Amino acid sequence: MKKITIPALLMLVFMSASHAQEMSVEQVIQNVMDHYPSIQTASLQVLRAKQESFKVQSQLGWQLGGQAGIARDVSVFGTRTDIYNVNGNMSRQLESGSSVSVSGGISREDAETAFSPTIANPVTKTEVDVSFRQPLEKGSDNTIYKQRLIGAEAGVMLANAEKRKLYELLAEQVMDLYFATAITQVRMANSKQAIQRSKRLYKYNKDRASLGVSEDKDLLQVEAQLRGREAEYKALQVQWQQQRIALNRLMGRPWDAGLNTTVISPESIASDYQMLFDKAQLQSPALESIEARLKLANSVIETSADAQKDNLDLVLFAGGRNNQGDAATGSVDNSEVVGGVRVEYSQSADKRGVDAELYQAKLDRSIALQDKLQEEEDLQYELASLLAEYKAGNAALGAYKTSVKSEKNKLDEALNRYRRGRTDTDQLIQFESHLSSAELSTELQRIELSRRYYKVNLLTGDIWEQIQLRKFIAPDYSASDNNTQGMKQ
């Protein structure tokens, strides 16, 4: 009796769907990464986080202000006066924590009655001032600005970690579904092979029954076996359809698009545990997220520690004053240079809020450090477990292959005896079942070994070397259009 191997039979199982595309697990992951909408959302979150640093840096830009007005007031001498003024100012905080400001203004005062013939009326006053403020205690090194920049960087780290976590979760979901589909296909192939064997055995017994050589019970027994395996095959077809639809949905393909898995024997995994663990640490989105939390906590600690200080500022200022106008005794044009230095001091009487914020930040840092220890420990055990399972699975695969050879030899010998009438149908069915089970176990072990191989690759990040992640193009929002624009692809 001619034997058909399971890999060859996989093609026969899907002859009705000859248009089905064979796809490796990397190809399926690639298609999912190219299609899945949530990846776009995660990329937008990263882009949003990057804008925070620009918001912080803008605090060092020049701040401009101005005013102009007209008023009627009463002078110190009780005289009604019309006042016209225009003032402007600009200020800027420096990266060192100091700040500078420049202000100027022009005003014209026209009193109803001049108090003295030597006082100009109307009079035009011009003022120009420059000041420099240097914090000596709180804010002396611009702690808030520096820590906000660090906080913005931590925000980008968190967004990137969430994006990578999404990549990892999607890849893991795809791999689990892909290898489950491969198992179903192997079971279908194994079931199909068993059906063909049962059909040949049924035909053989039917021919013998027509000659009066075989008993009816043998024919009925073989037929019962055949119907049971046909029912099992139909159930597997239903499961296969569900898995195929799920994979097509992830990839954005038509629900009924053909798909065949191609699980190949994996390459060997490097035996250097420390090297693999170091790569897994660098790849871990969870550890990157914890590092971002530590950055944020340290940033808040620095900011809160600075907020506990008192305000003590040194202020230097200089300027010019000019009065111009006509008086009863002649024209007036007086100019003076002014300036000085002063120290300003203030403190908060109740610092419990700042103290509580500092304590909370230290608790957040301690929590993040504990989470880091736990995550590293979990990562160590997960990697060690996968490597141990892979090693044991590789040895088991070799044993299964040896078992298949033994079962084939046993069945061939039983078939020869059966044709000579030296054994019964029960034993032949039993031996055929043993071979089918051994072949199925071998293929299942091969798939499981491949699954563990890819799990290790996902853990260390090696799988992304074979996946081309889609480049994200930022949305173009037109300044003249208030409506949200679509994202350019």
Side-chain angles (χ1 to χ4, degrees), residues 168-294:
E168 194 171 277
L169 287 174
L170 278 174
E172 190 170 10
Q173 181 182 356
V174 168
M175 285 193 297
D176 288 342
L177 185 55
Y178 182 89
F179 288 114
T181 305
I183 287 173
T184 301
Q185 288 185 315
V186 165
R187 288 186 181 276
M188 290 173 68
N190 182 265
S191 180
K192 188 73 173 179
Q193 184 176 5
I195 287 171
Q196 290 184 348
R197 285 173 178 158
S198 295
K199 284 182 176 180
R200 286 194 294 270
L201 189 58
Y202 177 76
K203 183 178 182 301
Y204 177 74
N205 276 273
K206 191 173 182 180
D207 292 341
R208 293 187 67 187
S210 65
L211 298 174
V213 179
S214 176
E215 298 181 10
D216 289 342
K217 72 176 185 67
D218 293 335
L219 188 63
L220 291 173
Q221 192 174 10
V222 175
E223 183 178 9
Q225 183 195 48
L226 174 61
R227 301 309 170 212
R229 284 174 172 167
E230 287 176 341
E232 179 186 358
Y233 180 74
K234 289 178 181 178
L236 287 170
Q237 282 183 314
V238 174
Q239 186 177 354
W240 151 244
Q241 291 295 338
Q242 293 172 340
Q243 292 167 334
R244 182 184 65 166
I245 291 172
L247 280 173
N248 283 331
R249 178 184 178 185
L250 287 173
M251 292 186 287
R253 303 170 76 214
W255 69 270
D256 58 346
L259 170 65
N260 284 339
T261 58
T262 55
V263 178
I264 60 174
S265 297
E267 301 174 1
S268 60
I269 298 177
S271 58
D272 189 342
Y273 171 81
Q274 189 59 48
M275 181 269 290
L276 292 174
F277 179 65
D278 291 342
K279 291 177 69 175
Q281 281 184 302
L282 292 174
Q283 160 64 23
S284 173
L287 286 177
E288 183 180 11
S289 180
I290 292 172
E291 287 298 330
R293 287 166 51 197
L294 284 171

Side-chain angles (χ1 to χ4, degrees), residues 8-44:
L9 196 57
L10 280 171
M11 297 302 296
L12 297 177
V13 174
F14 300 101
M15 283 185 64
S16 60
S18 57
H19 62 286
Q21 182 180 358
E22 289 191 359
M23 301 181 73
S24 65
V25 65
E26 292 91 349
Q27 289 174 316
V28 175
I29 293 175
Q30 180 70 70
N31 287 344
V32 172
M33 294 301 164
D34 289 342
H35 160 74
Y36 211 71
S38 294
I39 292 178
Q40 233 164 258
T41 303
S43 298
L44 287 172

